[in-house]
Amino acid sequence: MGNKYKAIVRTLLYSDIFDFPLTEAEIYYYLLTDTRISKSEFRQAFTELLPHLMYQKPYIALPNRGNIIQRRRNNERWLNLKRREASQIARILSYIPTIYFIGLSGGVGVGSANKDDDIDFFIITKKNCIYITRLISLLVLAILGKRRKRGEKNARDKICLNMFLDESSLALPLDRHDIYTAHEIAQIYPLVDRNNTYLRFLSANKWIATFLAHATLGRKVKFQKLQQSLGEGLLRIFEPIARYLQLKYIKRHRTKEIVTNNFIAFHPKDYRSIIVKTYQQKIRKNLLNFSSLF
C-alpha cells in the first residue's frame, strides 16, 4: 500500500510546481509510478489518503493549497476558448500536406492556461520536410494574424510553434529521458493526426512508462486526417532553401534553442532542469509530512 500512497503524493507534488490541482482521473493518468496499478487498487489508496488532502470536488490539491483550486476554476472558461481556437487553427494547418501531427503542448495542452497565455503547438512532419513545413506554417499564421513573434509580450491566444519533429526521429534522445519530458509527452492534447503518427510517436517513446506507467496509451485525437501524397514531393524540393534561410535567421537570435535537421525546439529558458530540480527539492521537503500514512 505504501508505494501507492507515495505515487499519489508525488503526483500532486509535481503538479503543485505549476500551481495546478488535479481531478481523480488526472491523478491516475499522471500517476508517478513505473508499475501499472489497477483502478480498484488506486481507488482504495486514493480514498484513504483523501482526508489528508485539500478536496473541492472535482479537484484535489496538497493541504493548504485551496487557492490553486479556485484559480483552476477561474481559468476553465479561458481554457475552453483557447482549445476551440487551437482546433480551428490546427484544421487550417492540416491542409499543409507535410504536417502529419499537431498537438497542443504547454499550459493549454495540460489544462493550466490562463486568459493571457499563448497557445503552444507541437508538430510532427513528413521526413526531410521539417523546415519547409515550419516556414509555410509561420506564413499561414502570419496571414491569419495568429503568429506569436519573437519577444512579443502581449501574446494572448497567439500560436507559438515551439517544437517540430520529423517522422524519421520520433524517439527523443536519451538526455531528455526525465520526468519533465515524460510529462510533456503525456500531456500533449492531440488535435490532428495523419498516418497514425501520434501512436508511432508514443510507441517510439515507451520509456515514459518508467515515470508514468498509465500514460503510455495517450489521449483521444480530435481530428483524424486521410493520408496525403499530393504536394509532399513538391514541397520537399524546397527543404534545403527553407533550411538555409531559417538557420541563418535563427543563428542571429539563438539562445537555448535546439536545432537539427529533424528536431527544432524553441525554449529560451531551460525549464526542464529547473522543474526537475524543484521537484526533487519538494520531494525531500514534503514527503516526510505524509510518511506516517505509508
Side-chain angles (χ1 to χ4, degrees), residues 3-4 7 28 31 33 35-39 41-42 213-214:
N3 288 336
K4 302 185 190 82
Y28 184 76
L31 196 66
T33 175
T35 306
R36 289 189 65 84
I37 298 171
S38 70
K39 288 189 177 181
E41 289 179 300
F42 166 79
H214 296 165

Side-chain angles (χ1 to χ4, degrees), residues 95-112:
Y95 287 99
I96 301 172
T98 51
I99 285 183
Y100 280 9
F101 175 78
I102 303 175
L104 282 168
S105 58
V108 182
V110 73
S112 64

